[in-house]
Structures are given as C-alpha cells and as structure tokens.
Amino acid sequence: DTAVSQTPKYLVTQMGNDKSIKCEQNLGHDTMYWYKQDSKKFLKIMFSYNNKELIINETVPNRFSPKSPDKAHLNLHINSLELGDSAVYFCASSQGFLLKRVVELFFGEGSRLTVL
Amino acid sequence: AQKITQTQPGMFVQEKEAVTLDCTYDTSDPSYGLFWYKQPSSGEMIFLIYQGSYDQQNATEGRYSLNFQKARKSANLVISASQLGDSAMYFCAMRGKSGGGADGLTFGKGTHLIIQP
C-alpha cells in the first residue's frame, strides 16, 4: 500500500489549460504539503495545509490553488497553465511533532507536468 | 528564515569508498531537525536519516551517518562503503519546531553523487 499517492504521474497539456493533480495519504497524518521541483532539481514548498490552517508560499502565483476535501487528500489545481509551470510536483505529508522529535515528511512519487 | 547550503553540485566516488556530502544550515529557531533525502533517477524522495538539534549523539542508520557539528551549523552525511546503487541526488533539509509543522522542510540545492565501479 502506497503511503502517499499522487495521480497522474505524468501530465502533458497545452498552455492556457486548467489541470489538477490529486494526492492522497493513508498515514493518518494531519498536515499535507505541495512542493515544486524545477528543472535544476530545486525543491520549493508551495503550500502546507492541515485541518486548521492553509499556508501559502508568497511566491506562488494565485493560479495555483490547493483543495482539501478531507484530511487525507490535498489536491492541486492549476489555472491558465504557463510554460514555466513545467516541473515535477510532489505531495508530502507529516504528523506534526512527536514530543521532542521533529518528524520527517513522507513524499509521493511526484507528478511530472509538461506544458507545451 | 531558514537556509540550507550544499556546496557540492556533483561528486564522483569510487565504489566501496566512503563519501561525505556537505551541508551547512542557518536558522534562528532554537529547536529544529535536520534531514537527508535521496532521490534516485526514478524520481522518488527517500528519507535517509534525521538529526535533532538537541540530540547528543550523531545519528546513524545502517551505512548512513550524520556528522552533526552544531557550533559550526553543519550536518554532513557520511555514506560508508559506497555502492553503485547509491548514485542519486542527495538533499539536505531542515525543519524548525516553531512553525508548528506547517512550515514543512527547507531544502538545499542537492548534490548529485555518482558512484563509479
């Protein structure tokens, strides 16, 4: 059973289209994230979300919006796709903090978006 | 703000040799965690090892160990007896406790490690 799963794994689309990437976690975690990995492999956080709070990285265009139907899902919707949106998008989840330990994030396999 | 610096964009190492991947960090958070992730060519992000800022001992996980020097703000990853399957991108990351979990991980730019036979 995959702990954090994303669909689709590959997505090729035209500029101007709207697309969504779905993410589900079965770990019972309370916080989910979206990361963008650019062509130089740099990973940058886009959003974090738990059932109380959505935190948006201020550099993320408002064409990107997270949607969470429930605690186990955090989907990423992108409007009016641009060439520069081509990247690998990773969903991740974690369970806050365990006593003294700062816990790791568990990542999905990534969704490679190509905008033509 | 948190910052992670990985100064080695790429490394070539002979199989069976030990490898040290450098990582320095900067944070104002008094409590934080440091992480290393491996990303093979298949693309998934694999968690390797964790070091807490208040941990007295350096973390170890099998062939991976973390050389944590708090005063120098460094958290280098050491891979002993490297194998061909260790060829991958390696990312150092950190997470502060003050963010309450919502701040996720801040990543370095990564080191591309290639193990040569």
Side-chain angles (χ1 to χ4, degrees):
Chain A
D1 288 344
T2 305
V4 182
S5 59
Q6 301 177 223
T7 55
K9 192 168 183 179
Y10 300 96
L11 185 55
V12 181
T13 189
Q14 299 287 331
M15 257 193 327
N17 285 349
D18 302 339
K19 290 295 178 184
S20 293
I21 306 172
K22 295 184 177 181
C23 179
E24 176 182 4
Q25 55 97 3
N26 62 8
L27 298 168
H29 288 165
D30 62 3
T31 306
M32 296 182 72
Y33 310 83
W34 278 104
Y35 278 82
K36 178 180 180 180
Q37 187 174 41
D38 63 22
S39 58
K40 295 183 179 180
K41 301 289 188 179
F42 185 56
L43 281 150
K44 193 170 185 180
I45 191 167
M46 300 176 70
F47 305 100
S48 67
Y49 186 81
N50 62 22
N51 56 8
K52 299 175 185 175
E53 187 178 19
L54 169 67
I55 295 180
I56 303 171
N57 185 312
E58 59 188 12
T59 66
V60 175
N62 57 15
R63 298 181 294 103
F64 290 78
S65 56
K67 297 187 190 303
S68 181
D70 56 56
K71 190 177 169 181
H73 296 82
L74 183 66
N75 303 326
L76 181 65
H77 190 74
I78 316 169
N79 290 327
S80 304
L81 279 157
E82 300 177 358
L83 294 176
D85 298 333
S86 296
V88 180
Y89 293 85
F90 283 95
C91 176
S93 72
S94 75
Q95 182 61 39
F97 297 106
L98 298 175
L99 296 176
K100 296 181 182 179
R101 190 189 188 288
V102 179
V103 296
E104 68 268 30
L105 270 60
F106 292 79
F107 284 82
E109 293 184 332
S111 297
R112 181 176 293 276
L113 171 65
T114 302
V115 182
L116 302 175
Chain B
Q2 299 170 347
K3 186 177 180 182
I4 295 284
T5 302
Q6 293 181 253
T7 57
Q8 304 153 311
M11 286 184 73
F12 288 88
V13 173
Q14 288 296 119
E15 191 180 7
K16 299 181 184 176
E17 289 183 351
V19 182
T20 297
L21 304 180
D22 295 340
C23 173
T24 57
Y25 62 91
D26 194 16
T27 181
S28 57
D29 204 317
S31 180
Y32 51 88
L34 294 154
F35 304 81
W36 279 90
Y37 281 81
K38 173 183 179 181
Q39 187 178 39
S41 58
S42 50
E44 69 269 31
M45 294 290 288
I46 302 168
F47 166 68
L48 295 178
I49 195 166
Y50 159 84
Q51 179 82 45
S53 57
Y54 289 111
D55 292 344
Q56 295 297 313
Q57 292 187 321
N58 286 344
T60 60
E61 289 286 348
R63 292 186 301 112
Y64 303 108
S65 60
L66 204 152
N67 183 1
F68 180 47
Q69 298 186 45
K70 192 171 182 178
R72 298 179 63 181
K73 295 189 175 181
S74 75
N76 298 340
L77 177 70
V78 180
I79 306 174
S80 63
S82 59
Q83 303 171 355
L84 295 178
D86 293 333
S87 295
M89 283 289 290
Y90 288 82
F91 293 96
C92 181
M94 76 177 299
R95 187 178 187 189
K97 203 167 186 180
S98 62
D103 52 347
L105 289 169
T106 299
F107 282 89
K109 292 187 176 181
T111 296
H112 189 192
L113 175 64
I114 297 174
I115 307 297
Q116 296 175 313

